Amino acid sequence: MSAKQHKILVVDDEPDILDLLEYNLSKEGYKVKTALDGRKAVNIAAKFAPDLILLDIMMPHQDGVETCRQLRENPDLYNTFIVFLTARSEEYSEVAAFDTGADDYITKPIKPRALMSRISALFRREAKKRKKNNKINVNGLSIDRSSYMVIVQDEQISLPKKEFELLYYLAQNPDKVHSRDELLQNIWGSDVYVLARTVDVHIRKVREKIGSNYIVTVKGVGYKFGGEE
């Protein structure tokens, strides 16, 4: 899918930043809409159906973390990328961002050329994933990459996007041990800075939903799919 076919929603309470990003994104061929706060963003996204949302964290009325949580509750936005924009660098912001379903995390001040490169990388990575084998069935667990559907013992389970990608990646390579760094590299990408703790949090959440016997912890190394703990 080319840039001209991608739609991007930019959410920030600073008009100057909205103007800067709208100008640069439009110049790259993206179709762009903007919102000055989280509440408006949720309403606009439901109608606009963006492929990607650039979302500020620190906003009045409703912050970016809560806005992201609400956006991820809309099934029509399940495949939408959400990239946080913030001047904050605390660990809390990063962990909260990914816990609510963010795909990337970029700190201000924003460098337009670097941002365009990051957005292009997200779309390229998604296109490559779609070309791979889309279905995995093992030990009562069914994972369908094309529909983001997970079924465990005939029960459909809903997983946020990053939790799904993590499970799918592990299941593609059963019995192979993956380090946290490898999982960060392949699920979040090399140009996204996140903590190793983010992997642990996502693994814990996946286990809570599908059962603890599908993902094994190998102490001091990482995680693998298959077997009993």
Side-chain angles (χ1 to χ4, degrees), residues 6 18 22-23 32 41 44 60 70 77 93 140 149 156-157 167 172 187 201 208 227-228:
H6 283 135
L18 286 184
E22 183 176 19
Y23 170 77
V32 185
I44 292 173
Q70 292 182 19
L77 301 175
S93 296
M149 183 179 296
Q156 185 172 332
I157 306 296
L167 174 62
Q172 278 189 309
I187 306 302
V201 171
E208 288 173 353
E228 297 286 333

Side-chain angles (χ1 to χ4, degrees), residues 79-128:
N79 292 322
T80 297
F81 289 111
I82 296 180
V83 177
F84 274 107
L85 303 174
T86 179
R88 297 175 62 183
S89 59
E90 297 94 337
E91 179 182 336
Y92 162 77
S93 296
E94 178 185 321
V95 173
F98 287 112
D99 279 357
T100 53
D103 295 284
D104 204 344
Y105 182 94
I106 299 173
T107 56
K108 297 177 180 178
I110 298 166
K111 298 178 180 178
R113 289 183 64 183
L115 178 61
M116 299 306 133
S117 177
R118 191 80 66 91
I119 290 172
S120 295
L122 281 171
F123 287 137
R124 284 197 305 271
R125 194 157 62 240
E126 183 69 11
K128 288 180 180 179

Side-chain angles (χ1 to χ4, degrees), residues 125 129 162 165-171 173 176-190 192 194-196 198-200 202-203 215-216 221-225:
R125 194 157 62 240
K129 287 177 181 177
K162 285 302 177 189
E165 296 289 357
L166 185 57
L167 174 62
Y168 183 78
Y169 182 80
L170 291 169
N173 303 275
K176 177 185 175 182
V177 180
H178 304 272
S179 69
R180 289 172 178 80
D181 287 343
E182 178 188 348
L183 294 172
L184 286 172
Q185 169 83 17
N186 285 279
I187 306 302
W188 283 269
S190 59
V192 181
V194 292
L195 300 173
T198 301
V199 173
D200 299 332
H202 280 68
I203 291 287
I215 300 176
V216 179
V221 183
Y223 299 99
K224 70 174 183 177
F225 182 89

